Amino acid sequence: MTTSQPSRTDDRTDARTSVETVFRLESPRIIAGVTRVVRDVGIAEELAQDALVAALEQWPRDGVPDNPGAWLMAIARRKAVDLVRRRENYARKLAEIGRDLSETAPPEEPSDPEDIDDDLLRLVFTTCHPVLSAEARTALTLRLLGGLTTPEIARAFLVPEATVAQRIVRAKRTLATKNIAFEVPYGPDREARLGSVLDVIYLIFNEGYAATAGDDWLRPSLCEDALRLARLLSALMPKEPEVHGLAALLEFQASRTAARTGPRGEPVLLKDQNRSRWNRMLVARGIRALSRAEATAVGAPGPYVLQAGIAACHAHAYSYEETDWRAIATLYALLAARAPSPVVELNRAVAVSMAEGPAPALEIVDTLTGEPALHDYHLLPSVRGDLLARLGRTTEARAEFERAAALTRNERERELLLERARECGS
């Protein structure tokens, strides 16, 4: 009797899968590390892709290395060194890097005690430079740091894919032609970029928390990167309440991760989550971060502090029904006044539905149906369907859930919405 042995083809397939998986996880760090050498994020992204090609050629043949992330980084940096050597200004680059490039070591770090040795954070501040438009800053950082594709970014922005592609290309070109330094800036320059940096970190977390596309509801690596960056930023800027507010918000949101999916990876809505599975350590971190935000605040709270306050209301409730929905509705009203947005108004409607009932909430939602920014936003018909179902208007609710399912690009979310539609027809 013979036993079948894994074929060489299977080994190569496994190796290719490993390459793609590792690269998706490590590409932001590789791009950030290589940018320190070449000082050009566009070129750094190309060199990271070259390292991917090298891995696709070698790993199926030689096997996956013990430390695949380090292997990719070494290849990309070696290619960066070769590129710098070929440049006419090699002598200037050599002096800038400060040591023999053959060792592929990064340059000496500034001696400033406030400096944080984190290439990812430098990458965020670099791509959030004021020479770029707000839209371009966010799109480029999501591409390079978050590893999102152009369609995923377009979905997050609710704009056409071609628009996002143009923003990314132009942003890279602008950073290169303006010779923007790869650094965490200090003083007024840091303040000027802070708002964009916070927005980018938040968008990265959101993409991991509820993926806009694909087969998975969660992309934990994006959440982890965003949370780590928020914590680093809190250490870097301890007197900024909005920084602590963002950190608190992400801690609270991340605390629910384990309860947000079922046994088969299906989404579990907030009202159905087993709150005993919420990570109480992260909740405690969120409470401490929110306390720091409130202690450093001067004047009215900012958008991230308000959102953290909303998340804290959920964290303090033992059940969905016991949540202080009136407090949440009030906080959303303050948020809508501080940072007006159709999405904020949609969220306020959900809180109003729990505090006052579905009828007044539906009135709010119906005013949003003509908003251009929400035309293809699947959560609008999803929320409207839920309100209609609670009012007993099941035929209309089913149509809304079906429309929401047609708009989402996430397979897990589509399944959930179609199930809601079937429930309305039963």
Short mmCIF file of all heavy atoms in Angstrom, two decimals, residues 67-115:
data_model
loop_
_atom_site.label_atom_id
_atom_site.label_comp_id
_atom_site.label_asym_id
_atom_site.label_seq_id
_atom_site.Cartn_x
_atom_site.Cartn_y
_atom_site.Cartn_z
N ASN A 67 12.30 33.78 7.93
CA ASN A 67 11.74 35.10 8.25
C ASN A 67 11.39 35.78 6.93
O ASN A 67 12.17 36.57 6.40
CB ASN A 67 12.73 35.94 9.05
CG ASN A 67 12.09 37.20 9.61
OD1 ASN A 67 11.11 37.71 9.07
ND2 ASN A 67 12.66 37.71 10.69
N PRO A 68 10.22 35.47 6.35
CA PRO A 68 9.90 35.97 5.01
C PRO A 68 9.80 37.49 4.93
O PRO A 68 10.19 38.09 3.92
CB PRO A 68 8.55 35.31 4.70
CG PRO A 68 7.99 34.89 6.01
CD PRO A 68 9.16 34.59 6.88
N GLY A 69 9.30 38.13 5.99
CA GLY A 69 9.22 39.58 5.96
C GLY A 69 10.58 40.23 5.88
O GLY A 69 10.80 41.17 5.11
N ALA A 70 11.53 39.71 6.66
CA ALA A 70 12.90 40.24 6.64
C ALA A 70 13.55 39.98 5.29
O ALA A 70 14.33 40.80 4.78
CB ALA A 70 13.72 39.62 7.76
N TRP A 71 13.23 38.82 4.68
CA TRP A 71 13.79 38.49 3.37
C TRP A 71 13.33 39.51 2.33
O TRP A 71 14.14 40.04 1.56
CB TRP A 71 13.33 37.09 2.98
CG TRP A 71 13.98 36.50 1.75
CD1 TRP A 71 15.04 35.64 1.71
CD2 TRP A 71 13.60 36.71 0.38
NE1 TRP A 71 15.33 35.30 0.42
CE2 TRP A 71 14.47 35.95 -0.43
CE3 TRP A 71 12.61 37.47 -0.24
CZ2 TRP A 71 14.38 35.92 -1.82
CZ3 TRP A 71 12.52 37.45 -1.62
CH2 TRP A 71 13.40 36.69 -2.40
N LEU A 72 12.05 39.81 2.33
CA LEU A 72 11.51 40.79 1.38
C LEU A 72 12.13 42.16 1.61
O LEU A 72 12.48 42.87 0.66
CB LEU A 72 9.99 40.86 1.50
CG LEU A 72 9.20 39.68 0.93
CD1 LEU A 72 7.76 39.72 1.41
CD2 LEU A 72 9.26 39.67 -0.59
N MET A 73 12.26 42.55 2.88
CA MET A 73 12.85 43.84 3.20
C MET A 73 14.30 43.91 2.72
O MET A 73 14.73 44.92 2.14
CB MET A 73 12.79 44.10 4.71
CG MET A 73 13.43 45.41 5.15
SD MET A 73 12.52 46.86 4.58
CE MET A 73 11.25 46.93 5.87
N ALA A 74 15.06 42.84 2.93
CA ALA A 74 16.46 42.84 2.51
C ALA A 74 16.58 42.97 1.00
O ALA A 74 17.43 43.72 0.49
CB ALA A 74 17.14 41.56 3.00
N ILE A 75 15.73 42.24 0.25
CA ILE A 75 15.78 42.32 -1.21
C ILE A 75 15.42 43.71 -1.68
O ILE A 75 16.09 44.29 -2.56
CB ILE A 75 14.83 41.28 -1.84
CG1 ILE A 75 15.31 39.86 -1.53
CG2 ILE A 75 14.71 41.50 -3.34
CD1 ILE A 75 16.66 39.52 -2.11
N ALA A 76 14.37 44.29 -1.11
CA ALA A 76 13.94 45.62 -1.53
C ALA A 76 15.00 46.66 -1.21
O ALA A 76 15.27 47.55 -2.03
CB ALA A 76 12.62 45.97 -0.84
N ARG A 77 15.61 46.57 -0.04
CA ARG A 77 16.66 47.53 0.31
C ARG A 77 17.89 47.36 -0.57
O ARG A 77 18.55 48.34 -0.94
CB ARG A 77 17.04 47.38 1.79
CG ARG A 77 16.04 48.02 2.73
CD ARG A 77 16.55 48.00 4.15
NE ARG A 77 15.71 48.80 5.02
CZ ARG A 77 15.93 48.96 6.32
NH1 ARG A 77 16.95 48.35 6.88
NH2 ARG A 77 15.11 49.69 7.05
N ARG A 78 18.22 46.11 -0.90
CA ARG A 78 19.36 45.88 -1.78
C ARG A 78 19.12 46.52 -3.15
O ARG A 78 20.01 47.14 -3.73
CB ARG A 78 19.61 44.38 -1.93
CG ARG A 78 20.92 44.03 -2.65
CD ARG A 78 21.09 42.52 -2.69
NE ARG A 78 20.97 41.94 -1.36
CZ ARG A 78 20.56 40.70 -1.14
NH1 ARG A 78 20.22 39.92 -2.14
NH2 ARG A 78 20.50 40.24 0.10
N LYS A 79 17.91 46.37 -3.64
CA LYS A 79 17.56 47.00 -4.91
C LYS A 79 17.59 48.52 -4.80
O LYS A 79 17.96 49.23 -5.74
CB LYS A 79 16.18 46.52 -5.38
CG LYS A 79 16.16 45.05 -5.80
CD LYS A 79 14.78 44.61 -6.23
CE LYS A 79 14.77 43.14 -6.66
NZ LYS A 79 15.59 42.91 -7.87
N ALA A 80 17.20 49.03 -3.63
CA ALA A 80 17.24 50.47 -3.41
C ALA A 80 18.69 50.97 -3.43
O ALA A 80 19.00 52.02 -4.01
CB ALA A 80 16.59 50.82 -2.07
N VAL A 81 19.57 50.20 -2.79
CA VAL A 81 20.99 50.56 -2.78
C VAL A 81 21.54 50.57 -4.20
O VAL A 81 22.26 51.50 -4.61
CB VAL A 81 21.78 49.58 -1.89
CG1 VAL A 81 23.28 49.76 -2.09
CG2 VAL A 81 21.41 49.79 -0.43
N ASP A 82 21.22 49.55 -4.98
CA ASP A 82 21.68 49.49 -6.36
C ASP A 82 21.20 50.69 -7.15
O ASP A 82 21.93 51.26 -7.97
CB ASP A 82 21.19 48.20 -7.03
CG ASP A 82 21.86 46.96 -6.45
OD1 ASP A 82 22.94 47.12 -5.82
OD2 ASP A 82 21.32 45.86 -6.62
N LEU A 83 19.95 51.09 -6.90
CA LEU A 83 19.40 52.23 -7.62
C LEU A 83 20.13 53.51 -7.26
O LEU A 83 20.49 54.31 -8.12
CB LEU A 83 17.90 52.37 -7.29
CG LEU A 83 17.19 53.58 -7.90
CD1 LEU A 83 17.18 53.49 -9.42
CD2 LEU A 83 15.77 53.67 -7.36
N VAL A 84 20.38 53.70 -5.96
CA VAL A 84 21.07 54.91 -5.51
C VAL A 84 22.48 54.95 -6.09
O VAL A 84 22.98 56.00 -6.50
CB VAL A 84 21.11 54.97 -3.97
CG1 VAL A 84 22.00 56.10 -3.49
CG2 VAL A 84 19.70 55.14 -3.42
N ARG A 85 23.13 53.79 -6.15
CA ARG A 85 24.48 53.74 -6.70
C ARG A 85 24.51 54.15 -8.17
O ARG A 85 25.49 54.72 -8.65
CB ARG A 85 25.04 52.33 -6.56
CG ARG A 85 25.57 52.03 -5.16
CD ARG A 85 26.03 50.60 -5.08
NE ARG A 85 26.75 50.35 -3.84
CZ ARG A 85 26.85 49.17 -3.27
NH1 ARG A 85 26.28 48.12 -3.82
NH2 ARG A 85 27.52 49.02 -2.15
N ARG A 86 23.43 53.84 -8.88
CA ARG A 86 23.39 54.17 -10.31
C ARG A 86 23.10 55.64 -10.56
O ARG A 86 23.30 56.13 -11.66
CB ARG A 86 22.34 53.30 -11.01
CG ARG A 86 22.71 51.84 -11.11
CD ARG A 86 21.85 51.11 -12.13
NE ARG A 86 20.44 51.15 -11.78
CZ ARG A 86 19.82 50.21 -11.06
NH1 ARG A 86 20.51 49.19 -10.59
NH2 ARG A 86 18.52 50.30 -10.80
N ARG A 87 22.61 56.30 -9.57
CA ARG A 87 22.27 57.70 -9.77
C ARG A 87 23.52 58.58 -9.84
O ARG A 87 24.54 58.30 -9.20
CB ARG A 87 21.37 58.20 -8.63
CG ARG A 87 19.96 57.62 -8.69
CD ARG A 87 19.18 58.11 -7.50
NE ARG A 87 17.80 57.68 -7.54
CZ ARG A 87 16.93 57.87 -6.57
NH1 ARG A 87 17.32 58.49 -5.45
NH2 ARG A 87 15.68 57.46 -6.69
N GLU A 88 23.43 59.64 -10.58
CA GLU A 88 24.56 60.55 -10.73
C GLU A 88 24.91 61.22 -9.40
O GLU A 88 26.07 61.59 -9.17
CB GLU A 88 24.24 61.63 -11.77
CG GLU A 88 24.08 61.10 -13.18
CD GLU A 88 23.76 62.18 -14.19
OE1 GLU A 88 23.56 63.34 -13.76
OE2 GLU A 88 23.71 61.88 -15.39
N ASN A 89 23.94 61.38 -8.53
CA ASN A 89 24.20 62.04 -7.24
C ASN A 89 24.53 61.05 -6.15
O ASN A 89 24.20 61.26 -4.99
CB ASN A 89 23.00 62.90 -6.84
CG ASN A 89 21.75 62.08 -6.63
OD1 ASN A 89 21.72 60.89 -6.93
ND2 ASN A 89 20.70 62.71 -6.11
N TYR A 90 25.18 59.95 -6.53
CA TYR A 90 25.49 58.91 -5.53
C TYR A 90 26.31 59.46 -4.36
O TYR A 90 26.07 59.12 -3.20
CB TYR A 90 26.26 57.78 -6.21
CG TYR A 90 26.80 56.76 -5.22
CD1 TYR A 90 25.92 55.95 -4.50
CD2 TYR A 90 28.16 56.61 -5.01
CE1 TYR A 90 26.39 55.04 -3.59
CE2 TYR A 90 28.64 55.69 -4.11
CZ TYR A 90 27.75 54.90 -3.40
OH TYR A 90 28.22 54.00 -2.49
N ALA A 91 27.25 60.35 -4.64
CA ALA A 91 28.10 60.88 -3.57
C ALA A 91 27.26 61.63 -2.54
O ALA A 91 27.47 61.49 -1.33
CB ALA A 91 29.18 61.78 -4.15
N ARG A 92 26.29 62.41 -3.03
CA ARG A 92 25.44 63.15 -2.10
C ARG A 92 24.59 62.19 -1.27
O ARG A 92 24.42 62.37 -0.07
CB ARG A 92 24.55 64.12 -2.86
CG ARG A 92 23.63 64.93 -1.96
CD ARG A 92 22.86 65.97 -2.77
NE ARG A 92 21.98 65.35 -3.73
CZ ARG A 92 20.76 64.88 -3.43
NH1 ARG A 92 20.32 64.92 -2.18
NH2 ARG A 92 20.01 64.35 -4.36
N LYS A 93 24.04 61.17 -1.95
CA LYS A 93 23.24 60.19 -1.22
C LYS A 93 24.08 59.42 -0.20
O LYS A 93 23.62 59.11 0.88
CB LYS A 93 22.58 59.21 -2.21
CG LYS A 93 21.45 59.82 -3.01
CD LYS A 93 20.27 60.12 -2.11
CE LYS A 93 19.12 60.70 -2.90
NZ LYS A 93 17.97 61.04 -2.03
N LEU A 94 25.33 59.13 -0.57
CA LEU A 94 26.20 58.40 0.34
C LEU A 94 26.44 59.21 1.62
O LEU A 94 26.37 58.69 2.73
CB LEU A 94 27.53 58.08 -0.35
CG LEU A 94 28.55 57.30 0.47
CD1 LEU A 94 27.99 55.95 0.87
CD2 LEU A 94 29.84 57.14 -0.32
N ALA A 95 26.69 60.51 1.44
CA ALA A 95 26.89 61.37 2.60
C ALA A 95 25.61 61.47 3.43
O ALA A 95 25.65 61.53 4.66
CB ALA A 95 27.34 62.75 2.14
N GLU A 96 24.49 61.48 2.74
CA GLU A 96 23.19 61.61 3.43
C GLU A 96 22.89 60.38 4.27
O GLU A 96 22.40 60.46 5.39
CB GLU A 96 22.10 61.82 2.37
CG GLU A 96 20.74 62.17 2.92
CD GLU A 96 19.76 62.44 1.81
OE1 GLU A 96 19.95 63.44 1.09
OE2 GLU A 96 18.83 61.64 1.64
N ILE A 97 23.16 59.22 3.71
CA ILE A 97 22.90 57.99 4.44
C ILE A 97 23.90 57.80 5.57
O ILE A 97 23.60 57.27 6.61
CB ILE A 97 22.88 56.79 3.47
CG1 ILE A 97 21.65 56.92 2.57
CG2 ILE A 97 22.86 55.48 4.22
CD1 ILE A 97 21.57 55.86 1.51
N GLY A 98 25.15 58.24 5.33
CA GLY A 98 26.09 58.30 6.44
C GLY A 98 26.93 57.08 6.68
O GLY A 98 27.64 57.04 7.67
N ARG A 99 26.87 56.08 5.81
CA ARG A 99 27.72 54.92 6.00
C ARG A 99 27.75 54.12 4.70
O ARG A 99 27.05 54.43 3.75
CB ARG A 99 27.22 54.05 7.15
CG ARG A 99 25.82 53.49 6.94
CD ARG A 99 25.37 52.72 8.15
NE ARG A 99 26.28 51.61 8.42
CZ ARG A 99 26.23 50.89 9.53
NH1 ARG A 99 25.36 51.16 10.46
NH2 ARG A 99 27.06 49.88 9.70
N ASP A 100 28.54 53.08 4.67
CA ASP A 100 28.68 52.27 3.47
C ASP A 100 27.35 51.65 3.10
O ASP A 100 26.77 50.88 3.87
CB ASP A 100 29.72 51.16 3.72
CG ASP A 100 29.99 50.36 2.46
OD1 ASP A 100 29.42 50.68 1.40
OD2 ASP A 100 30.81 49.42 2.55
N LEU A 101 26.84 51.95 1.91
CA LEU A 101 25.53 51.45 1.50
C LEU A 101 25.51 49.94 1.30
O LEU A 101 24.44 49.34 1.28
CB LEU A 101 25.09 52.14 0.21
CG LEU A 101 24.66 53.60 0.37
CD1 LEU A 101 24.34 54.20 -0.98
CD2 LEU A 101 23.48 53.72 1.29
N SER A 102 26.68 49.33 1.15
CA SER A 102 26.67 47.89 0.92
C SER A 102 26.10 47.13 2.11
O SER A 102 25.69 45.99 1.99
CB SER A 102 28.10 47.40 0.64
OG SER A 102 28.92 47.60 1.76
N GLU A 103 26.09 47.77 3.28
CA GLU A 103 25.52 47.14 4.47
C GLU A 103 24.01 47.31 4.54
O GLU A 103 23.35 46.75 5.41
CB GLU A 103 26.17 47.71 5.73
CG GLU A 103 27.66 47.44 5.81
CD GLU A 103 28.26 48.05 7.06
OE1 GLU A 103 27.50 48.52 7.93
OE2 GLU A 103 29.50 48.07 7.16
N THR A 104 23.47 48.11 3.61
CA THR A 104 22.02 48.38 3.51
C THR A 104 21.41 48.80 4.84
O THR A 104 20.29 48.48 5.15
CB THR A 104 21.25 47.15 2.99
OG1 THR A 104 21.29 46.11 3.96
CG2 THR A 104 21.79 46.68 1.68
N ALA A 105 22.20 49.52 5.64
CA ALA A 105 21.68 49.97 6.93
C ALA A 105 20.96 51.30 6.76
O ALA A 105 21.30 52.09 5.90
CB ALA A 105 22.83 50.12 7.93
N PRO A 106 19.96 51.57 7.59
CA PRO A 106 19.26 52.84 7.51
C PRO A 106 20.14 53.97 8.02
O PRO A 106 21.11 53.73 8.76
CB PRO A 106 18.05 52.64 8.43
CG PRO A 106 18.49 51.60 9.39
CD PRO A 106 19.39 50.69 8.61
N PRO A 107 19.83 55.20 7.67
CA PRO A 107 20.64 56.33 8.14
C PRO A 107 20.48 56.55 9.64
O PRO A 107 19.56 56.04 10.26
CB PRO A 107 20.06 57.51 7.36
CG PRO A 107 18.67 57.10 7.02
CD PRO A 107 18.74 55.61 6.80
N GLU A 108 21.41 57.31 10.18
CA GLU A 108 21.34 57.63 11.59
C GLU A 108 20.05 58.40 11.87
O GLU A 108 19.61 59.22 11.08
CB GLU A 108 22.54 58.51 11.99
CG GLU A 108 23.87 57.79 11.96
CD GLU A 108 23.99 56.81 13.10
OE1 GLU A 108 23.36 57.03 14.14
OE2 GLU A 108 24.73 55.82 12.94
N GLU A 109 19.45 58.15 13.02
CA GLU A 109 18.22 58.83 13.39
C GLU A 109 18.54 60.16 14.07
O GLU A 109 19.58 60.31 14.70
CB GLU A 109 17.40 57.95 14.34
CG GLU A 109 16.91 56.68 13.70
CD GLU A 109 16.04 56.95 12.50
OE1 GLU A 109 15.23 57.89 12.54
OE2 GLU A 109 16.19 56.24 11.51
N PRO A 110 17.64 61.14 13.98
CA PRO A 110 17.86 62.40 14.69
C PRO A 110 17.98 62.17 16.19
O PRO A 110 17.40 61.24 16.73
CB PRO A 110 16.59 63.21 14.35
CG PRO A 110 16.04 62.58 13.12
CD PRO A 110 16.42 61.14 13.20
N SER A 111 18.73 63.03 16.84
CA SER A 111 18.94 62.87 18.27
C SER A 111 17.82 63.47 19.10
O SER A 111 17.83 63.37 20.32
CB SER A 111 20.27 63.53 18.67
OG SER A 111 20.24 64.91 18.31
N ASP A 112 16.86 64.11 18.47
CA ASP A 112 15.75 64.73 19.19
C ASP A 112 15.03 63.67 20.03
O ASP A 112 14.61 62.64 19.51
CB ASP A 112 14.76 65.35 18.19
CG ASP A 112 13.75 66.26 18.87
OD1 ASP A 112 13.13 65.80 19.85
OD2 ASP A 112 13.59 67.40 18.43
N PRO A 113 14.87 63.90 21.33
CA PRO A 113 14.24 62.89 22.19
C PRO A 113 12.79 62.63 21.84
O PRO A 113 12.24 61.60 22.24
CB PRO A 113 14.37 63.50 23.60
CG PRO A 113 14.51 64.97 23.36
CD PRO A 113 15.27 65.09 22.09
N GLU A 114 12.13 63.57 21.13
CA GLU A 114 10.73 63.35 20.77
C GLU A 114 10.59 62.43 19.56
O GLU A 114 9.50 61.97 19.26
CB GLU A 114 10.05 64.69 20.44
CG GLU A 114 9.71 65.52 21.67
CD GLU A 114 8.78 66.66 21.30
OE1 GLU A 114 9.08 67.37 20.31
OE2 GLU A 114 7.75 66.83 21.96
N ASP A 115 11.71 62.19 18.87
CA ASP A 115 11.62 61.38 17.66
C ASP A 115 11.24 59.95 17.98
O ASP A 115 11.70 59.36 18.95
CB ASP A 115 12.96 61.40 16.92
CG ASP A 115 12.86 60.70 15.59
OD1 ASP A 115 12.26 61.27 14.67
OD2 ASP A 115 13.37 59.57 15.50
#
